[in-house]
Amino acid sequence: MAFSVTTPIYYVNSDPHLGHAYTTVAGDALARHHRQRGEDVFFLTGTDEHGGNVARAAEAAGMPPKQFCDEVSERFRRLTTAMESSNDFFIRTTDPEHERRVQDFVQHLYHDGHLYEGTYAGLYCSSCEVFYTEGDLIQPGNLCPIHNRPVEWVEEKNWFFPLSKWAPKLLELYDANPDFVRPRARYNEARSMIAGGLEDVSFTRATVSWGIPVPWEPSQTIYVWVDALLNYRTAQEYGLGRDVTAEFWPTSLHLMAKDILRLHGIVWPAMLLAAGYEPPRGLFVHGYFTTGGEKMSKTMGNVIDPFEVIDLLGADALRFYLMREVQWGQDGDVTWEGLHRRYEGELANDLGNLVSRATAMIVRYREGRVPEGRNALEPVHESVAARLDAVDLSGALEEIWTLVRSANRYVEEQQPWVLARSDEPEQVRALDDALYTLADTVRSLGVMLYPYIPASAEKILAAVGDPGAITWERAALGTLAAGSEVRQPEPLFPRVEK
Ligand code: ME8
């Protein structure tokens, strides 16, 4: 089985923020989970570097565009590393291998008669790099619905892609794949955009010089969104030093937030259909992080710096918070207070204490060897896998947490420290069962939490003498071997000053 998952490639017009970290962690958790299931995985992220927006940011920074892109892209790459993202490739749209392929793709559309010349006059948001109609905008004042800033009137001669012509094929695609876009509300939104009639898209720009030249008309550049969307294809062609499209195309899952649904759910599959490529298998549209109810974005400036979170609490704390705090698919507020609350309440107390108590008692009462016993708790791995198959990242984590909570309740009910006072065979057996249950449950948690908090999961597995056993079969309860060597780890989530 092969699984390919992507994040959007992020604009380098300013620094990475928590919203970018969100999609990358989500992609990484899915990639790690599918690897656990024994699948071949291609997980892709990267940066989107052309277009007027980036050119303006470079100018404001007083730098040549390429140098500016190198610097900012490097910060995005550093964030993926700092978050322990296991992406197989990090694409940059200024990679010459990408640029050449984008030109080939567009040339191919042109050659096959899929592009026509026309004049575009319309309202353009240069932050979105998207044309809007008046109906899309906030009135009065023609404000961009995303950036809440006035759009500009732009008029130029461009090459157009006849998107409207592809509506019937797109509807077929949607009707044949009821999960093409998830959640359902986003599917309905995209489908009704198509059914309501599509406008053709101008695929070239006469006024933007920071972009890939149109091969047959080099005074124009290729529209940045065409260039950007194609990353999902070109990365599979050159990213690993060999073409892996036979294995990984079409992409299994594109992750993104709702602001770019139209481009991914409509323009992208239409481009692919026109060029004779299979469209992606599916999209998942997650919600927005907000702070104080407002969408968090670099243009808005209201940001929590993910690097700061990692420095203070570690990558796993950031990853956990992002996947836990906001229901996957919904919008939600993220705050430093919320982060500290989850860190202390759930990571340090619920999970950290469980691991610490379980291992300490086995060290104390059974000389650090897991006794023979039966796990008394209800397994959750099947419902976790089902949630993850439905791309419900916070739902799967909540399922895992029900096991964390029941293990903690179990300790309180069994009171192993009381059982340990007696030599009665029945009590000894009860203590063995309790200790086995705890060690084995902690181990299963390590396996299931690995996609979310990989470094801590590895420490947990090492502490119960089962390092490296992260394959999904091992999520089942009762698979820990008696006799495994247990040691009490350093605190997994040490207390920090706020
Ligand atoms: O749109 N909450 O790049 P971008 C949740 N280059 N997720 C957020 C977020 C928030 N407040 N802010 C950003 C672009 N994101 C294009 C994409 S793809 C061919 C080209 C995440 O830098 C979310 O995944 O604006 C969103 O779709 C993406 O970052 C937008 O990043």
Side-chain angles (χ1 to χ4, degrees), residues 363-375:
V363 168
R364 171 151 357 126
Y365 305 135
R366 292 294 181 265
E367 290 167 344
R369 294 280 172 184
V370 174
E372 298 258 4
R374 257 195 59 251
N375 194 321

Side-chain angles (χ1 to χ4, degrees), residues 6 20 168 191 228 483:
T6 68
H20 304 121
R191 198 186 177 290

Side-chain angles (χ1 to χ4, degrees), residues 8-9 11 17 19-20 23 48 232 257 260 286-289 296 298:
I9 48 171
Y11 282 132
H17 63 70
H20 304 121
T23 320
D48 186 355
Y232 301 131
I260 54 182
H286 63 65
Y288 278 141
F289 280 162
M296 175 186 290
K298 44 204 171 190

